Amino acid sequence: MENKIFQNFLGEKGLKLTKERIAVLKEVFSSHNHFEPENLYLRIKGSGSKASRASVYRTLSLLVESGLVEKVTRTEKSNVYEHTFGHTHHDHMICDGCGSILEFYSEKLENLQKEICLGNGFDGKSHTLEIHGYCAGCKKIK
């Protein structure tokens, strides 16, 4: 399904679904883990597929623009992404110690955001919530 969505998106932009873009798409959707572009490139290279580092970065930008992938956060090294197609909305807690990313969903927070939008006459379409701090493991070390 994501292949068809991406192909339609590319077609609307006058672009083609190349072998390199297919390799990136396939690797992105092979798991639901958060990933950095460089690690994605290395996984593609390790799998025997061919896609240059530049192709990975360009395709990743297109995947974000298409709505199939979202940027989760920015680390010291690079951005961190996840594919979102077929998954329900969630937010993230990001450990500043070890870099782990915990996903969570809170109906109370979602309702509060809707209430705030409504109270301000704002039609909210999406949001990103990141809570930075320390996970249980890193708190013990501190």
Side-chain angles (χ1 to χ4, degrees), residues 19-106:
K19 288 180 183 178
E20 292 83 6
R21 290 178 178 147
I22 291 170
V24 173
L25 183 69
K26 181 180 174 185
E27 192 59 41
V28 165
F29 280 88
S30 68
S31 75
H32 188 64
N33 294 327
H34 301 101
F35 62 90
E36 294 177 354
E38 185 63 20
N39 292 339
L40 177 64
Y41 166 71
L42 294 173
R43 288 189 348 235
I44 291 168
K45 188 176 172 185
S47 73
S49 296
K50 298 204 184 225
S52 69
R53 186 176 273 112
S55 290
V56 169
Y57 279 85
R58 283 193 302 265
T59 302
L60 196 49
S61 291
L62 290 168
L63 287 167
V64 169
E65 190 179 340
S66 75
L68 293 169
V69 169
E70 285 185 7
K71 182 176 91 164
V72 174
T73 190
R74 171 112 181 106
T75 67
E76 292 175 9
K77 297 187 294 181
S78 71
N79 292 322
V80 176
Y81 298 87
E82 68 180 343
H83 74 81
T84 52
F85 177 73
H87 297 277
T88 57
H89 169 75
H90 58 270
D91 297 300
H92 298 94
M93 290 182 276
I94 301 162
C95 180
D96 292 333
C98 66
S100 65
I101 300 173
L102 305 168
E103 297 178 351
F104 73 96
Y105 175 81
S106 168

